[in-house]
Amino acid sequence: MATWAEFAAEQPDMAVFVQARFAADRHALIATLRKDGSPRISGVEPDFARGELWAGMMFDSLKSKDLRRDPRFALHCMSTTASVAEAGDAKISGTAEFWMDKADYLKDLFDRTGWNPSELDLFRFNVTEVVQITTEGDEMVVLSWHEGRGTRRVGKK
């Protein structure tokens, strides 16, 4: 698994694009796996801090229980047809690490997001796949990065 910082070092332009898409609207969608293996889609507010990708979730929420049981996730920025056409789209997949130590060195994260560390389950996300979608003219262009395989572009050349 790559940390966000490792991915960003390998693909700096893509990392900047993806972070900007997630910053455009604080809300995002996260897919987790229920106990029976079926998918669950939930709202989440991811944050990029200290070279890592984080999300705080309501204490003991269903999505938090899902991730503690099976850490695989898929994260999608909020987008509409208009926002994809104008600014693009972004997706991140990987595994979540339940973060027990909500130490003072994360204080800037809590100050910036307004998350109360005593009232949340905190996760740090490692990435295995990052996808950037843009349009060129009326054609969609997909740039995808997979850990260990690098990037692949599909669409207008």
Side-chain angles (χ1 to χ4, degrees):
M1 297 289 147
T3 65
W4 185 257
E6 291 166 339
F7 163 74
E10 183 180 326
Q11 297 293 326
D13 293 340
M14 192 175 186
V16 167
F17 175 91
V18 169
Q19 282 186 235
R21 288 307 302 133
F22 277 95
D25 187 326
R26 292 261 326 126
H27 300 295
L29 296 175
I30 189 167
T32 59
L33 295 170
R34 298 171 193 252
K35 201 182 305 186
D36 67 2
S38 62
R40 181 190 317 273
I41 300 289
S42 305
V44 69
E45 294 181 355
D47 193 78
F48 297 87
R50 297 182 180 259
E52 305 284 0
L53 173 56
W54 303 90
M57 300 172 191
M58 187 180 350
F59 176 74
D60 227 14
S61 64
L62 292 175
K63 63 189 162 197
S64 175
K65 288 179 181 179
D66 289 346
L67 289 173
R68 283 181 279 154
R69 184 179 50 258
D70 185 330
R72 294 176 291 173
F73 75 92
L75 189 62
H76 188 258
C77 72
M78 293 302 273
S79 58
T80 63
T81 302
S83 67
V84 171
E86 293 172 17
D89 197 25
K91 303 173 197 176
I92 302 169
S93 299
T95 59
E97 179 183 348
F98 184 57
W99 200 260
M100 298 292 292
D101 181 14
K102 302 172 197 166
D104 286 341
Y105 72 90
L106 291 175
K107 185 177 182 326
D108 59 324
L109 173 68
F110 300 125
D111 288 347
R112 189 178 56 263
T113 60
W115 298 338
N116 182 338
S118 65
E119 297 175 358
L120 62 76
D121 290 336
L122 182 63
F123 290 87
R124 183 182 72 175
F125 296 116
N126 293 308
V127 298
T128 55
E129 179 183 33
V130 179
V131 178
Q132 166 184 321
I133 300 171
T134 56
T135 56
E136 293 181 15
D138 59 356
E139 191 171 326
M140 187 174 291
V141 177
V142 179
L143 182 63
S144 60
W145 171 87
H146 295 271
E147 183 184 29
R149 293 189 306 204
T151 58
R152 177 174 181 241
R153 181 184 170 104
V154 176
K156 208 170 204 174
K157 299 253 180 214

